[in-house]
Amino acid sequence: MYHEYLYTRHRYDELIALCDQSIIFYPDEDRFYRYKLLAYLGMNTIKTALEYYHTTLDFFSSKYGTDISGSLRDVHQEILLRMPSKELDINELETTLGKDDKSGQTFYCNFDIFKNIYHLHSRSSLRMPGRHYLMLLTLHSKKEKMPDAAKVKEVMETLYYMLSTHLRKNDVFTRTSLTQYSVLLSVTEKIGVDTVAARISEAFHEMNSNSELYLEVSSKEI
């Protein structure tokens, strides 16, 4: 494989360019993202490597509903080991964390982060039950077979936009599978969950009134 050839000969700029071309034609092949990360490490651009790692996880989670952090775990560990060891003061930490450029939208994250937030909500529910709920949104076909992949992708992208703008800012959602999104809701009473479910169903119907797909919404207290 030519990617490996370039990597073993430390031709990192060429490798990155080749990976970018490969990703255009094969966007679901995680090996090309892996080689690009290795190239960044080879060039010692650690911050860029870390940013690209998180961008890659978000891409696979939002587009394909898959978590590829396992296949990139060794690369991620190498990135963390090579991060600068310089201590930060509180102001530098705030700058490093950065501002949320999407504060006007509902928080979207990959499944791994979603799972951690779920665990936090689960612990909180031990002290204050009835405050946190898990919601699952699933696309189903109105016919015996699902429409073609391109149609499903289009509807899922519409659903992503709808969730990012119709949920509250303190809610969290993620892509769970090719046809599902999961949502974490924090409410003061159960009726709040029913209201959110009704709002989502109504908005989906308005955006996809002629679709071959319908949306099932289920929820459960954490």
Side-chain angles (χ1 to χ4, degrees):
M1 186 177 181
Y2 196 54
H3 297 74
E4 181 69 16
Y5 174 84
L6 293 176
Y7 175 66
T8 56
R9 283 156 180 77
H10 312 295
R11 292 159 61 177
Y12 301 124
D13 287 330
E14 294 178 62
L15 177 56
I16 289 173
L18 180 60
C19 287
D20 287 339
Q21 293 177 6
S22 301
I23 288 169
I24 292 174
F25 293 103
Y26 307 100
D28 58 343
E29 289 282 348
D30 61 0
R31 55 186 169 143
F32 301 129
Y33 301 85
R34 180 185 182 85
Y35 272 114
K36 190 170 180 178
L37 283 169
L38 291 173
Y40 284 137
L41 283 173
M43 298 168 67
N44 204 35
T45 52
I46 309 304
K47 182 179 179 181
T48 301
L50 184 60
E51 291 173 350
Y52 187 69
Y53 168 80
H54 289 297
T55 299
T56 299
L57 291 191
D58 289 343
F59 171 76
F60 273 85
S61 179
S62 62
K63 292 296 183 183
Y64 304 111
T66 56
D67 181 7
I68 64 167
S69 59
S71 65
L72 299 176
R73 183 170 289 114
D74 59 330
V75 182
H76 185 226
Q77 288 300 315
E78 180 64 22
I79 292 172
L80 296 180
L81 286 173
R82 293 170 60 178
M83 289 291 289
S85 58
K86 174 180 175 290
E87 293 184 354
L88 304 176
D89 63 30
I90 191 67
N91 294 321
E92 290 173 324
L93 174 60
E94 183 180 34
T95 301
T96 301
L97 292 173
K99 293 184 178 180
D100 184 4
D101 295 329
K102 297 183 179 180
S103 58
Q105 299 179 358
T106 306
F107 182 70
Y108 176 86
C109 59
N110 65 53
F111 187 76
D112 203 38
I113 295 175
F114 184 88
K115 185 166 60 176
N116 290 334
I117 298 174
Y118 172 85
H119 290 160
L120 287 175
H121 284 350
S122 180
R123 294 180 183 184
S124 176
S125 293
L126 295 176
R127 294 182 290 105
M128 295 183 294
R131 294 291 184 90
H132 302 292
Y133 286 80
L134 178 65
M135 180 174 285
L136 182 64
L137 313 176
T138 307
L139 287 182
H140 294 291
S141 175
K142 296 177 181 177
K143 302 178 181 179
E144 291 186 5
K145 293 184 178 180
M146 291 290 284
D148 61 80
K151 179 61 178 178
V152 173
K153 179 182 177 182
E154 177 186 341
V155 176
M156 286 296 285
E157 289 179 350
T158 299
L159 186 54
Y160 171 90
Y161 171 77
M162 188 193 76
L163 291 174
S164 66
T165 55
H166 283 69
L167 291 173
R168 297 165 307 171
K169 304 303 180 291
N170 62 327
D171 295 327
V172 180
F173 74 106
T174 191
R175 182 84 173 260
T176 310
S177 72
L178 288 175
T179 57
Q180 292 178 306
Y181 283 105
S182 299
V183 183
L184 288 173
L185 301 171
S186 297
V187 297
T188 55
E189 52 187 345
K190 175 65 168 62
I191 192 173
V193 180
D194 299 332
T195 300
V196 171
R199 187 166 66 241
I200 290 174
S201 297
E202 182 179 352
F204 180 81
H205 180 71
E206 290 178 357
M207 293 182 176
N208 298 275
S209 57
N210 298 318
S211 175
E212 303 172 52
L213 300 164
Y214 70 92
L215 183 67
E216 177 189 7
V217 182
S218 57
S219 61
K220 183 177 182 180
E221 182 180 341
I222 297 175

mmCIF file with all atom_site columns, all heavy atoms in Angstrom, residues 181-194:
data_model
loop_
_atom_site.group_PDB
_atom_site.id
_atom_site.type_symbol
_atom_site.label_atom_id
_atom_site.label_alt_id
_atom_site.label_comp_id
_atom_site.label_asym_id
_atom_site.label_entity_id
_atom_site.label_seq_id
_atom_site.pdbx_PDB_ins_code
_atom_site.Cartn_x
_atom_site.Cartn_y
_atom_site.Cartn_z
_atom_site.occupancy
_atom_site.B_iso_or_equiv
_atom_site.pdbx_formal_charge
_atom_site.auth_seq_id
_atom_site.auth_comp_id
_atom_site.auth_asym_id
_atom_site.auth_atom_id
_atom_site.pdbx_PDB_model_num
ATOM 1   N N   . TYR A 1 181 ? -30.832 8.354  16.529 1.00 0.00 ? 181 TYR A N   1
ATOM 2   C CA  . TYR A 1 181 ? -30.170 9.338  17.384 1.00 0.00 ? 181 TYR A CA  1
ATOM 3   C C   . TYR A 1 181 ? -30.622 9.097  18.815 1.00 0.00 ? 181 TYR A C   1
ATOM 4   O O   . TYR A 1 181 ? -31.763 8.677  19.057 1.00 0.00 ? 181 TYR A O   1
ATOM 5   C CB  . TYR A 1 181 ? -30.543 10.771 16.988 1.00 0.00 ? 181 TYR A CB  1
ATOM 6   C CG  . TYR A 1 181 ? -29.841 11.292 15.762 1.00 0.00 ? 181 TYR A CG  1
ATOM 7   C CD1 . TYR A 1 181 ? -30.509 11.398 14.554 1.00 0.00 ? 181 TYR A CD1 1
ATOM 8   C CD2 . TYR A 1 181 ? -28.507 11.691 15.818 1.00 0.00 ? 181 TYR A CD2 1
ATOM 9   C CE1 . TYR A 1 181 ? -29.867 11.883 13.421 1.00 0.00 ? 181 TYR A CE1 1
ATOM 10  C CE2 . TYR A 1 181 ? -27.862 12.176 14.693 1.00 0.00 ? 181 TYR A CE2 1
ATOM 11  C CZ  . TYR A 1 181 ? -28.544 12.268 13.496 1.00 0.00 ? 181 TYR A CZ  1
ATOM 12  O OH  . TYR A 1 181 ? -27.899 12.744 12.381 1.00 0.00 ? 181 TYR A OH  1
ATOM 13  N N   . SER A 1 182 ? -29.730 9.362  19.750 1.00 0.00 ? 182 SER A N   1
ATOM 14  C CA  . SER A 1 182 ? -30.060 9.282  21.170 1.00 0.00 ? 182 SER A CA  1
ATOM 15  C C   . SER A 1 182 ? -29.945 10.669 21.778 1.00 0.00 ? 182 SER A C   1
ATOM 16  O O   . SER A 1 182 ? -29.088 11.456 21.382 1.00 0.00 ? 182 SER A O   1
ATOM 17  C CB  . SER A 1 182 ? -29.116 8.322  21.903 1.00 0.00 ? 182 SER A CB  1
ATOM 18  O OG  . SER A 1 182 ? -29.218 7.023  21.376 1.00 0.00 ? 182 SER A OG  1
ATOM 19  N N   . VAL A 1 183 ? -30.808 10.949 22.758 1.00 0.00 ? 183 VAL A N   1
ATOM 20  C CA  . VAL A 1 183 ? -30.846 12.265 23.390 1.00 0.00 ? 183 VAL A CA  1
ATOM 21  C C   . VAL A 1 183 ? -30.845 12.096 24.905 1.00 0.00 ? 183 VAL A C   1
ATOM 22  O O   . VAL A 1 183 ? -31.501 11.197 25.440 1.00 0.00 ? 183 VAL A O   1
ATOM 23  C CB  . VAL A 1 183 ? -32.109 13.051 22.971 1.00 0.00 ? 183 VAL A CB  1
ATOM 24  C CG1 . VAL A 1 183 ? -32.088 14.454 23.575 1.00 0.00 ? 183 VAL A CG1 1
ATOM 25  C CG2 . VAL A 1 183 ? -32.236 13.119 21.456 1.00 0.00 ? 183 VAL A CG2 1
ATOM 26  N N   . LEU A 1 184 ? -30.104 12.947 25.598 1.00 0.00 ? 184 LEU A N   1
ATOM 27  C CA  . LEU A 1 184 ? -30.153 13.025 27.055 1.00 0.00 ? 184 LEU A CA  1
ATOM 28  C C   . LEU A 1 184 ? -30.871 14.313 27.429 1.00 0.00 ? 184 LEU A C   1
ATOM 29  O O   . LEU A 1 184 ? -30.451 15.400 27.029 1.00 0.00 ? 184 LEU A O   1
ATOM 30  C CB  . LEU A 1 184 ? -28.742 13.016 27.649 1.00 0.00 ? 184 LEU A CB  1
ATOM 31  C CG  . LEU A 1 184 ? -27.992 11.686 27.579 1.00 0.00 ? 184 LEU A CG  1
ATOM 32  C CD1 . LEU A 1 184 ? -26.549 11.869 28.048 1.00 0.00 ? 184 LEU A CD1 1
ATOM 33  C CD2 . LEU A 1 184 ? -28.688 10.625 28.424 1.00 0.00 ? 184 LEU A CD2 1
ATOM 34  N N   . LEU A 1 185 ? -31.954 14.168 28.189 1.00 0.00 ? 185 LEU A N   1
ATOM 35  C CA  . LEU A 1 185 ? -32.774 15.312 28.582 1.00 0.00 ? 185 LEU A CA  1
ATOM 36  C C   . LEU A 1 185 ? -32.689 15.529 30.083 1.00 0.00 ? 185 LEU A C   1
ATOM 37  O O   . LEU A 1 185 ? -32.713 14.572 30.860 1.00 0.00 ? 185 LEU A O   1
ATOM 38  C CB  . LEU A 1 185 ? -34.239 15.078 28.199 1.00 0.00 ? 185 LEU A CB  1
ATOM 39  C CG  . LEU A 1 185 ? -34.558 14.848 26.721 1.00 0.00 ? 185 LEU A CG  1
ATOM 40  C CD1 . LEU A 1 185 ? -36.007 14.410 26.575 1.00 0.00 ? 185 LEU A CD1 1
ATOM 41  C CD2 . LEU A 1 185 ? -34.303 16.112 25.922 1.00 0.00 ? 185 LEU A CD2 1
ATOM 42  N N   . SER A 1 186 ? -32.612 16.788 30.480 1.00 0.00 ? 186 SER A N   1
ATOM 43  C CA  . SER A 1 186 ? -32.689 17.153 31.896 1.00 0.00 ? 186 SER A CA  1
ATOM 44  C C   . SER A 1 186 ? -33.953 17.984 32.073 1.00 0.00 ? 186 SER A C   1
ATOM 45  O O   . SER A 1 186 ? -34.098 19.050 31.462 1.00 0.00 ? 186 SER A O   1
ATOM 46  C CB  . SER A 1 186 ? -31.458 17.964 32.321 1.00 0.00 ? 186 SER A CB  1
ATOM 47  O OG  . SER A 1 186 ? -30.285 17.188 32.198 1.00 0.00 ? 186 SER A OG  1
ATOM 48  N N   . VAL A 1 187 ? -34.888 17.489 32.883 1.00 0.00 ? 187 VAL A N   1
ATOM 49  C CA  . VAL A 1 187 ? -36.190 18.141 33.039 1.00 0.00 ? 187 VAL A CA  1
ATOM 50  C C   . VAL A 1 187 ? -36.540 18.238 34.522 1.00 0.00 ? 187 VAL A C   1
ATOM 51  O O   . VAL A 1 187 ? -35.917 17.610 35.371 1.00 0.00 ? 187 VAL A O   1
ATOM 52  C CB  . VAL A 1 187 ? -37.297 17.357 32.294 1.00 0.00 ? 187 VAL A CB  1
ATOM 53  C CG1 . VAL A 1 187 ? -37.036 17.343 30.797 1.00 0.00 ? 187 VAL A CG1 1
ATOM 54  C CG2 . VAL A 1 187 ? -37.392 15.932 32.828 1.00 0.00 ? 187 VAL A CG2 1
ATOM 55  N N   . THR A 1 188 ? -37.563 19.022 34.815 1.00 0.00 ? 188 THR A N   1
ATOM 56  C CA  . THR A 1 188 ? -38.026 19.142 36.197 1.00 0.00 ? 188 THR A CA  1
ATOM 57  C C   . THR A 1 188 ? -39.174 18.184 36.491 1.00 0.00 ? 188 THR A C   1
ATOM 58  O O   . THR A 1 188 ? -39.414 17.828 37.636 1.00 0.00 ? 188 THR A O   1
ATOM 59  C CB  . THR A 1 188 ? -38.485 20.579 36.483 1.00 0.00 ? 188 THR A CB  1
ATOM 60  O OG1 . THR A 1 188 ? -39.482 20.959 35.519 1.00 0.00 ? 188 THR A OG1 1
ATOM 61  C CG2 . THR A 1 188 ? -37.304 21.541 36.387 1.00 0.00 ? 188 THR A CG2 1
ATOM 62  N N   . GLU A 1 189 ? -39.880 17.730 35.442 1.00 0.00 ? 189 GLU A N   1
ATOM 63  C CA  . GLU A 1 189 ? -40.960 16.768 35.618 1.00 0.00 ? 189 GLU A CA  1
ATOM 64  C C   . GLU A 1 189 ? -41.188 16.006 34.320 1.00 0.00 ? 189 GLU A C   1
ATOM 65  O O   . GLU A 1 189 ? -40.790 16.449 33.245 1.00 0.00 ? 189 GLU A O   1
ATOM 66  C CB  . GLU A 1 189 ? -42.250 17.464 36.070 1.00 0.00 ? 189 GLU A CB  1
ATOM 67  C CG  . GLU A 1 189 ? -42.664 18.637 35.210 1.00 0.00 ? 189 GLU A CG  1
ATOM 68  C CD  . GLU A 1 189 ? -43.846 19.379 35.800 1.00 0.00 ? 189 GLU A CD  1
ATOM 69  O OE1 . GLU A 1 189 ? -44.503 18.819 36.698 1.00 0.00 ? 189 GLU A OE1 1
ATOM 70  O OE2 . GLU A 1 189 ? -44.125 20.501 35.364 1.00 0.00 ? 189 GLU A OE2 1
ATOM 71  N N   . LYS A 1 190 ? -41.862 14.849 34.417 1.00 0.00 ? 190 LYS A N   1
ATOM 72  C CA  . LYS A 1 190 ? -42.025 13.943 33.283 1.00 0.00 ? 190 LYS A CA  1
ATOM 73  C C   . LYS A 1 190 ? -42.736 14.596 32.105 1.00 0.00 ? 190 LYS A C   1
ATOM 74  O O   . LYS A 1 190 ? -42.438 14.298 30.933 1.00 0.00 ? 190 LYS A O   1
ATOM 75  C CB  . LYS A 1 190 ? -42.824 12.708 33.737 1.00 0.00 ? 190 LYS A CB  1
ATOM 76  C CG  . LYS A 1 190 ? -43.176 11.719 32.628 1.00 0.00 ? 190 LYS A CG  1
ATOM 77  C CD  . LYS A 1 190 ? -41.934 11.066 32.026 1.00 0.00 ? 190 LYS A CD  1
ATOM 78  C CE  . LYS A 1 190 ? -42.285 9.873  31.145 1.00 0.00 ? 190 LYS A CE  1
ATOM 79  N NZ  . LYS A 1 190 ? -43.113 10.218 29.976 1.00 0.00 ? 190 LYS A NZ  1
ATOM 80  N N   . ILE A 1 191 ? -43.651 15.502 32.368 1.00 0.00 ? 191 ILE A N   1
ATOM 81  C CA  . ILE A 1 191 ? -44.395 16.128 31.282 1.00 0.00 ? 191 ILE A CA  1
ATOM 82  C C   . ILE A 1 191 ? -43.467 16.873 30.322 1.00 0.00 ? 191 ILE A C   1
ATOM 83  O O   . ILE A 1 191 ? -43.758 17.032 29.135 1.00 0.00 ? 191 ILE A O   1
ATOM 84  C CB  . ILE A 1 191 ? -45.487 17.081 31.836 1.00 0.00 ? 191 ILE A CB  1
ATOM 85  C CG1 . ILE A 1 191 ? -46.445 17.491 30.709 1.00 0.00 ? 191 ILE A CG1 1
ATOM 86  C CG2 . ILE A 1 191 ? -44.857 18.301 32.502 1.00 0.00 ? 191 ILE A CG2 1
ATOM 87  C CD1 . ILE A 1 191 ? -47.639 18.278 31.202 1.00 0.00 ? 191 ILE A CD1 1
ATOM 88  N N   . GLY A 1 192 ? -42.310 17.297 30.842 1.00 0.00 ? 192 GLY A N   1
ATOM 89  C CA  . GLY A 1 192 ? -41.337 17.969 29.986 1.00 0.00 ? 192 GLY A CA  1
ATOM 90  C C   . GLY A 1 192 ? -40.811 17.046 28.902 1.00 0.00 ? 192 GLY A C   1
ATOM 91  O O   . GLY A 1 192 ? -40.567 17.475 27.767 1.00 0.00 ? 192 GLY A O   1
ATOM 92  N N   . VAL A 1 193 ? -40.641 15.765 29.218 1.00 0.00 ? 193 VAL A N   1
ATOM 93  C CA  . VAL A 1 193 ? -40.181 14.778 28.238 1.00 0.00 ? 193 VAL A CA  1
ATOM 94  C C   . VAL A 1 193 ? -41.243 14.577 27.164 1.00 0.00 ? 193 VAL A C   1
ATOM 95  O O   . VAL A 1 193 ? -40.943 14.507 25.968 1.00 0.00 ? 193 VAL A O   1
ATOM 96  C CB  . VAL A 1 193 ? -39.855 13.439 28.928 1.00 0.00 ? 193 VAL A CB  1
ATOM 97  C CG1 . VAL A 1 193 ? -39.386 12.411 27.908 1.00 0.00 ? 193 VAL A CG1 1
ATOM 98  C CG2 . VAL A 1 193 ? -38.801 13.641 29.999 1.00 0.00 ? 193 VAL A CG2 1
ATOM 99  N N   . ASP A 1 194 ? -42.502 14.473 27.586 1.00 0.00 ? 194 ASP A N   1
ATOM 100 C CA  . ASP A 1 194 ? -43.598 14.296 26.633 1.00 0.00 ? 194 ASP A CA  1
ATOM 101 C C   . ASP A 1 194 ? -43.704 15.495 25.695 1.00 0.00 ? 194 ASP A C   1
ATOM 102 O O   . ASP A 1 194 ? -43.986 15.344 24.499 1.00 0.00 ? 194 ASP A O   1
ATOM 103 C CB  . ASP A 1 194 ? -44.917 14.101 27.382 1.00 0.00 ? 194 ASP A CB  1
ATOM 104 C CG  . ASP A 1 194 ? -44.900 12.859 28.269 1.00 0.00 ? 194 ASP A CG  1
ATOM 105 O OD1 . ASP A 1 194 ? -44.158 11.909 27.931 1.00 0.00 ? 194 ASP A OD1 1
ATOM 106 O OD2 . ASP A 1 194 ? -45.610 12.848 29.286 1.00 0.00 ? 194 ASP A OD2 1
#
